[in-house]
Amino acid sequence: MESCVSRCNEKFTRGAACQCDRQCARHGDCCEDYEELCTAEEDPKEPEPFLELEGETEEVPATNLYSAPDSCRGRCLEAFDKHHQCHCNARCRDFGNCCEDFESLCDHEGFSHSSDAITKEELQSISEKIYRADTNKARKEDIIINSQNCISPSETRDQVDHCPEPLFSYVNEELFSKPTYAAFINLLNNYQRATGRGEHFSAQQLAEQDAFLREAFLNRYSSEQEFVNDLKNMWFGLYSRGNDKGDSSGFEHVFSGEVKKGKVTGFHNWIRFYMQEKEGLVDYYSHIYDGPWDSYPDVLAMQFNWDGYYKEVGSAFIGSSPEFEFALYSLCFIARPGKMCQLSLGGYPLAIQTYTWDKSTYGNGKKYIATAYVVSSTQ
């Protein structure tokens, strides 16, 4: 598994893909969500995120606004936590333990609407339709992968390069001239990978976000603009993972990749990987999982070095179009925020894990994406 859910401060687990014990940061083998789930109350050096109130210039610590223990402000559809006085998850009504403001803050249309209304079977049906509709995906002849050595999960912390050759032997770069690919690639260099450094977008870069969303998605809301606005906030809205206000976003983390405390976090996209490998910035080390698909998109869980920083387990679709990945991750974040999302692609089961960013919100308590990634059978 690649998560610290229900594992915080457990003992070192030999054979696990990543760790959640108190020493994992020292050894550089923490799971991707260790800091969000396990260190929020332990790291006094982490400054509180700030929210700039609309129409005001005063900055107020976000915890004062969003984290009241008896309120759902900033907590809509969070995972159940027995330590809370009241709850804001999708099933709190069933147990009669919702916070008093649950209905006013959480029970409304949009991304904070109860997600469990969508069944597993419906999600699997939708994901199969998305799979069949991905006409922009790579053909078998468009990509040649040289996956080389497969290692066991217990070997991932060794940081040994088991593969002397690049992962991508060939990619037909005519794919990148397609409108969605081109719009996606325009976004990748708009970020500083180190957390703690604020992101500042030019008018051109903001226009590139809009262009990608228009290229990638059809109307799903009462109006196309409403849909695009929610997606833009959910994926591109800035929040703080480090010392600087607005240094991260869901898009940057998942698709472009970040470095925090000497480790690669996120970076779950094959196009980004190929382009960085082509420039000599990524060194492919090994893989622990290769999916069962005999055509694209496929799934690979791999280890690599990104310009001096190690990624212990990074799962990614291979050969998928940008709109395919964006659609599946968005679907799972909306339908199963912070949970495992069970899908089906080409008749094979597949799971996606998403996490919400809980330290700040947008709109009426809606959550940003913290991360989203494919969960392989070894994770």
Side-chain angles (χ1 to χ4, degrees), residues 138-144 168-178 181 270 274:
R139 300 165 299 175
K140 290 186 70 171
E141 61 268 27
D142 287 332
I143 300 175
I144 299 176
F168 289 94
S169 298
Y170 169 76
V171 171
N172 177 7
E173 294 193 5
E174 289 185 6
L175 286 169
F176 301 158
S177 65
K178 294 184 177 183
Y181 285 80
W270 76 270
Y274 165 72

Side-chain angles (χ1 to χ4, degrees), residues 136-138 175-176 178-185 270-271 319-322:
N136 277 342
K137 65 185 178 184
L175 286 169
F176 301 158
K178 294 184 177 183
T180 54
Y181 285 80
F184 175 78
I185 290 170
W270 76 270
I271 299 172
S320 54
S321 69

Side-chain angles (χ1 to χ4, degrees), residues 137-169:
K137 65 185 178 184
R139 300 165 299 175
K140 290 186 70 171
E141 61 268 27
D142 287 332
I143 300 175
I144 299 176
I145 293 289
N146 184 12
S147 57
Q148 301 167 77
N149 289 316
C150 181
I151 65 173
S152 68
S154 62
E155 296 177 272
T156 59
R157 66 189 305 171
D158 297 337
Q159 301 190 29
V160 175
D161 187 352
H162 296 277
C163 300
E165 302 295 328
L167 173 63
F168 289 94
S169 298

Side-chain angles (χ1 to χ4, degrees), residues 50 191 198-201 209 232-240 245-250 252 357 360-361 368:
F50 283 84
Y191 298 95
E199 303 290 354
H200 305 284
F201 300 124
Q209 296 174 7
K232 186 171 183 179
N233 280 309
M234 182 173 76
W235 278 104
F236 294 101
L238 294 174
Y239 48 80
S240 178
K245 179 180 176 182
D247 66 348
S248 184
S249 69
E252 177 183 9
W357 182 257
S360 56
T361 63
Y368 299 107

